[in-house]
Amino acid sequence: MGDERARGVDSLLKQLWLGLSAYRLFPGSVEHEGFVAAVARIDAAARAALASGPVDVEVRGDRFLWERVELEDDAHLHKLALVLFERRIERVTVVAVPDVHDLDRLYALLSRDADDLDAEGGAGQVLRGEGVGSVELSRVGPAPVEGADHAATDVEPAAGGTPAALVEPLTPELMLEDLRGAPGDQAETLLIRLREMLDDPSLATGGAIEVHSSVHGFVAELPPDIRRALVELLVDRVRVDPVAERLLSTMSNAELTRALVDLGREGRRDPTELALELARAGVRPLDIVDLTAALASGWEEAGTIIAGLEQLGIDAAAVDEGAPASSVTEAIADYLGATESEDARAIQAALAHGEDQRRTEAISALGDYLVLEADLDRTGAALDLWAEELRQALRARDVQMVGSLATAVREALPESAEARRELFEAYVRHGLQPELVTDLVEAEADEGAAVVADLLAPFDDLGVEILLDLLADEEDRARRARLLGVARRTVHDRVSRVTARLSDPRWYVVRNAVILLGASGRPEVLPQIEAQVRHAAPAVRREVATALVGAGGVEAVPALGRLASGEDQEIRLQAVSALGTLVGPEATDALVEVVRSSDDRTLRLRAIEELARRPDGAGRLRELASRASRPRLPWGLRRRARSLAKEGAAA
């Protein structure tokens, strides 16, 4: 029962985090499908978790404790815990299933600044004032929740005194008393004193949360030089000293980032490397590196650290530090900055790791966001995540997922808006990377499973153009043949990008376009194909007759007749041979016309031979062999026609 109960609590907290991410993507728009789906998931998770009583958890920095045990080491839980802790919330109790009203109020509160909440009496009082009764927030729970299956740890006064008495010495004035030496030496002494306090046995059963909160305030109030030295010491020892990890956990992401950048300004340490060390040690998620790099490069507005610029292709380090805030900065401050990119990353996590239903809902949420977002820079940030998910679906050869991703974005970015159409094309190309598409084509050839055309089909003309680009650049003959084979299966209703290649200065690109137009089965491209009979490259001209047959069938007869009367003998012969492949009286009549009117004996003989192969050819040959035929054929041609007509009759 314990393990099952813990999994239920864990699941509820994760769903609350994903719900917050969806809410911040659609602030105040609780009717949108993405948030509605999140509310439904929270409802299911809450009902399961509350089946055996209220859920009562404690917040310790970026960790949750339930029944005195730390919950699963999970990025979603860490992020939710930090959001709560940074708003001075140290205990969360869910006593009933929260409805959309309760979640709207809860998430609006968690999107506010901690100082604003404190000015109104704290997060718990604000939430109660909004009429929310299903979720309770508090700094320190004074007693177990009625009906809960456990008592919250470390919330009762300890035998040795009240929590306030235990932490009274934890003030800068008292702790810094008698400190001597350089800031590094003073930091060493402070760490010893803090360790003695935190190791006090009386805190094993009471007051730890209050001490945790007090340490947070104490570190923030230290003189700058001593605070920098202490933070540097804690980072260096975080892997080997549990107290160092415990002290760092009292700092919010923003506070820790600023402390690391302060160290960098003195030139002693690289703040990004220090942040990376914390991430490697598992003390903070990798996001701390993004934040530190952004702040170190000066990307901050109104107290908000703007991370995630690299997702928009911006090199923050290359920006003129003296320049005023750019439109890009203003555009992403709310979305990428204030939320530290967590909202989009949460959707990405749901796409990558969720069940089929959750993945579908996450795609829908992404589409909703793109519809709502008018700013193209912020749209680009979300599409960058979409492109990565698209690449994963392509590698897995998941036709359904690729189609769902393409549909969600195409519907959200209507073709009528030129800038948004160009944005869509840019990110499709970002997802359909040449190396990835080539690998898919090679795997298809090796395994014999024709799937690449289906994977590219949702991208319409753009999928064809990407194949054409690969064909144009591919030097290996065998690989070109495989690419051309995939392209043949892709172009049927998507010829606009192919016809555009007919003006390419490279003859082999034009040849490929002619071949693919022939494979399209679209009679409307016959004029464009026929025009290539005047191309300077013989390799292009040789493909024209066959392509006409493929594109137009019997409708290509007039064009083939014109080719049969042209100046190039090789093309004339190919046109007659192509007419021989077509069924119906139109093709037969065209062959008869060649025999009667051409002045090329070789061509007339080829037409006679093609007539002989046709079901209705024997009768037409006898007409041509007759002396009464007008115009009357030369004796040699009449003889050949008569001979082949007899053979056909005998057969």
Side-chain angles (χ1 to χ4, degrees), residues 205 236 298 383 429 474 575 586 651:
T205 56
D236 287 339
L383 284 174
R429 289 183 177 276
E474 184 55 61
E586 298 91 344

Side-chain angles (χ1 to χ4, degrees), residues 12-157:
L12 174 57
L13 293 173
K14 287 179 183 177
Q15 293 303 331
L16 287 172
W17 165 251
L18 290 173
L20 175 59
S21 298
Y23 181 87
R24 292 194 298 194
L25 284 175
F26 322 112
S29 301
V30 296
E31 74 280 1
H32 281 282
E33 185 177 348
F35 186 70
V36 170
V39 172
R41 294 196 302 272
I42 293 169
D43 183 280
R47 290 182 186 281
L50 293 169
S52 56
V55 172
D56 186 20
V57 295
E58 301 150 53
V59 183
R60 299 286 184 86
D62 65 346
R63 302 289 193 273
F64 284 105
L65 263 65
W66 178 76
E67 286 193 324
R68 303 177 183 268
V69 176
E70 186 176 300
L71 287 176
E72 178 185 355
D73 185 10
D74 177 84
H76 294 333
L77 298 188
H78 294 331
K79 293 165 186 175
L80 178 60
L82 279 173
V83 167
L84 295 165
F85 182 74
E86 289 171 359
R87 286 156 184 79
R88 304 182 178 98
I89 299 165
E90 295 164 319
R91 187 179 185 189
V92 179
T93 308
V94 182
V95 297
V97 177
D99 59 16
V100 65
H101 168 274
D102 290 355
L103 292 170
D104 182 19
R105 300 300 187 272
L106 172 65
Y107 291 150
L109 179 150
L110 295 179
S111 302
R112 294 178 58 184
D113 183 81
D115 292 336
D116 290 343
L117 295 173
D118 281 351
E120 296 180 28
Q125 182 169 325
V126 171
L127 193 64
R128 287 190 297 273
E130 294 283 355
V132 176
S134 60
V135 181
E136 299 173 3
L137 308 175
S138 57
R139 293 195 177 184
V140 180
V145 178
E146 183 178 352
D149 55 359
H150 73 288
T153 64
D154 303 339
V155 298
E156 297 292 343

Side-chain angles (χ1 to χ4, degrees), residues 163-376:
L166 287 167
V167 300
E168 185 177 350
L170 199 57
T171 61
E173 294 78 9
L174 294 176
M175 293 292 287
L176 298 178
E177 199 173 83
D178 300 327
L179 288 184
R180 298 288 185 272
D185 298 328
Q186 296 183 55
E188 286 275 8
T189 303
L190 275 178
L191 182 56
I192 292 171
R193 294 179 179 180
L194 287 168
R195 179 179 290 107
E196 290 174 351
M197 174 169 287
L198 295 174
D199 287 344
D200 189 329
S202 64
L203 296 182
T205 56
I209 289 181
E210 191 66 34
V211 171
H212 193 269
S213 181
S214 298
V215 168
H216 172 268
F218 164 71
V219 173
E221 294 172 15
L222 287 173
D225 56 343
I226 300 178
R227 184 175 65 252
R228 285 192 291 268
L230 179 61
V231 170
E232 183 178 15
L233 185 64
L234 296 177
V235 173
D236 287 339
R237 297 187 182 179
V238 70
R239 290 180 181 269
V240 297
D241 187 346
V243 172
E245 179 179 356
R246 189 173 176 186
L247 291 172
L248 285 174
S249 72
T250 69
M251 304 176 71
S252 70
N253 271 354
E255 290 167 335
L256 183 53
T257 296
R258 296 183 196 285
L260 296 177
V261 172
D262 280 346
L263 285 172
R265 291 194 178 110
E266 292 188 345
R268 298 197 317 239
R269 305 288 290 273
D270 182 340
T272 305
E273 285 297 322
L274 291 171
L276 189 58
E277 179 63 24
L278 290 173
R280 287 170 177 161
V283 176
R284 289 295 166 92
L286 196 58
D287 304 345
I288 191 71
V289 181
D290 296 341
L291 286 168
T292 303
L295 183 60
S297 298
W299 284 95
E300 181 179 16
E301 271 187 36
T304 293
I305 302 170
I306 303 175
L309 296 177
E310 70 289 341
Q311 295 181 355
L312 299 180
I314 300 172
D315 181 1
V319 178
D320 181 3
E321 293 182 1
S326 67
S327 60
V328 171
T329 308
E330 296 167 357
I332 64 176
D334 289 336
Y335 173 60
L336 289 179
T339 68
E340 301 174 12
S341 303
E342 301 299 356
D343 304 326
R345 291 179 184 181
I347 284 181
Q348 183 187 35
L351 284 169
H353 305 296
E355 308 85 5
D356 289 344
Q357 181 180 356
R358 183 182 297 179
R359 287 165 66 87
T360 301
E361 290 164 349
I363 292 171
S364 176
L366 179 61
D368 280 347
Y369 170 69
L370 293 173
V371 169
L372 290 170
E373 183 53 71
D375 189 284
L376 295 183

Side-chain angles (χ1 to χ4, degrees), residues 465 468 495-504 509-510 513 517:
E465 183 159 327
L468 291 173
V495 295
S496 62
R497 302 295 177 99
V498 183
T499 54
R501 300 293 174 120
L502 294 174
S503 59
D504 195 286
V509 173
V510 179
L517 288 175

Side-chain angles (χ1 to χ4, degrees), residues 518-538:
S520 71
R522 301 292 296 271
E524 62 265 29
V525 301
L526 290 174
Q528 291 95 323
I529 298 174
E530 184 182 357
Q532 302 312 307
V533 77
R534 295 184 293 275
H535 198 279

